Amino acid sequence: MKHLELLHEGKSKQIYACDKPNCIVVRFKDDATAFYNIKRAKIENKGEMNCSISSMVLDYLNRNGVATHFVERLGSNDQLCRKVETIALEVIVRNVIAGSMAKRLGLEEGIVPENTIFDICLHSELLGDPLINDHHAVALGIATYEELATIYELSAKINSLLVALYKQAGITLVDFKIEFGRDADGRITLVDELTPDTCRLWDTATGERLDKDRFRRDLGRVRETYEEVAKRLSNVLNK
Ligand code: TMP
């Protein structure tokens, strides 16, 4: 696969054009940032581990009836993905209260609500991805109410599939962030990544953090943690 020009460089990934029609190459970097670039570091091997983890997870979702942009893993840090029109939303799904929701509402981390919680944020780095609601999204022309209904339905399905997958790996899926796009037929498609950068993963037996909170909160053993998640998922999926 020939990589052509760099189309976009984000904080943790690069997007390249490629010679396969309607496809892009996603390259995972070792760079880590938190709190919108206030904290930065390189975590050795993170790019390869995240490429491995996101490839396994997106392939699992594809096989379970969720349309994603993932086509195949090309090499240690690269994925071949379908090119879709991105939707400027970040959808956050929460099974356990943690992070910004705990802080904003003055709640203890670890509370398990009876319902699944869905947040939507405007994807705008400049504004710090502010929390919005459906009416804002429609007013801003980001998505229609019908598309939002599909997005919530898909997010719930993805959550059920991922909770079941991580359970087999001894991991509680606390929360995660996903993004969507529209394919050529207007079908809502999962894009971006699903990795310990974008999910909170707690060891079910010990409560140990197995995600980017190790970096955000200076908990140590960041590299080893990403390697551990990749190993556990591989053991579950390649049984
Ligand atoms: P939050 O608690 O900071 O709102 O984060 C909820 C989840 O979303 C957590 O798993 C981390 C993920 N997330 C991202 O992937 N990117 C982001 O920019 C933010 C703020 C959160």
Side-chain angles (χ1 to χ4, degrees):
M1 182 73 48
K2 221 159 95 203
H3 293 185
L4 306 172
E5 89 262 37
L6 179 66
L7 297 175
H8 174 76
E9 175 136 21
K11 290 182 294 222
S12 63
K13 297 190 292 299
Q14 294 171 322
I15 310 292
Y16 289 89
C18 72
D19 53 8
K20 192 142 191 214
N22 304 315
C23 285
I24 50 165
V25 171
V26 177
R27 176 165 295 171
F28 289 77
K29 307 194 289 184
D30 285 346
D31 302 74
T33 71
F35 317 118
Y36 298 92
N37 275 328
I38 288 172
K39 187 170 172 141
R40 293 186 215 212
K42 264 198 198 302
I43 297 165
E44 203 191 327
N45 212 26
K46 178 170 87 78
E48 182 170 347
M49 289 304 106
N50 273 357
C51 183
S52 164
I53 292 165
S54 202
S55 298
M56 285 189 274
V57 171
L58 294 181
D59 175 60
Y60 163 80
L61 292 175
N62 277 339
R63 286 187 284 106
N64 283 281
V66 177
T68 85
H69 73 156
F70 176 75
V71 179
E72 60 176 335
R73 189 172 178 189
L74 295 174
S76 59
N77 290 59
D78 293 354
Q79 287 178 345
L80 181 68
C81 293
R82 288 186 298 127
K83 197 184 212 163
V84 300
E85 179 198 357
T86 55
I87 297 173
L89 282 182
E90 297 198 340
V91 180
I92 295 171
V93 183
R94 300 179 191 272
N95 297 305
V96 181
I97 308 297
S100 71
M101 178 170 174
K103 204 165 169 195
R104 193 170 52 247
L105 301 181
L107 298 169
E108 288 286 318
E109 286 199 313
I111 295 171
V112 181
E114 277 186 23
N115 54 325
T116 306
I117 296 163
F118 299 88
D119 290 336
I120 57 170
C121 301
L122 175 65
H123 192 17
S124 163
E125 189 140 344
L126 196 67
L127 299 174
D129 304 331
L131 191 60
I132 58 169
N133 64 30
D134 291 16
H135 309 292
H136 293 92
V138 173
L140 292 169
I142 293 170
T144 64
Y145 284 111
E146 292 73 22
E147 286 178 326
L148 288 166
T150 305
I151 284 170
Y152 288 118
E153 202 181 298
L154 280 170
S155 300
K157 180 172 181 183
I158 291 164
N159 186 42
S160 304
L161 286 164
L162 294 185
V163 165
L165 174 67
Y166 275 112
K167 190 172 177 199
Q168 293 177 70
I171 292 172
T172 302
L173 178 62
V174 169
D175 59 31
F176 59 96
K177 185 268 300 177
I178 45 180
E179 297 180 30
F180 293 93
R182 294 177 194 91
D183 73 7
D185 301 321
R187 186 168 61 148
I188 303 293
T189 304
L190 183 67
V191 299
D192 200 50
E193 65 178 85
L194 272 159
T195 66
D197 277 6
T198 61
C199 302
R200 278 198 177 87
L201 306 168
W202 293 358
D203 184 279
T204 306
T206 66
E208 193 188 357
R209 300 321 202 240
L210 301 175
D211 56 60
K212 196 172 141 184
D213 275 345
R214 301 205 73 83
F215 168 69
R216 294 190 192 95
R217 303 179 186 188
D218 297 318
L219 300 176
R221 301 185 75 253
V222 185
R223 172 188 176 159
E224 292 84 348
T225 295
Y226 282 71
E227 289 169 349
E228 170 76 16
V229 172
K231 193 173 90 193
R232 288 201 205 181
L233 277 180
S234 165
N235 287 342
V236 168
L237 289 165
N238 300 317
K239 260 198 305 228

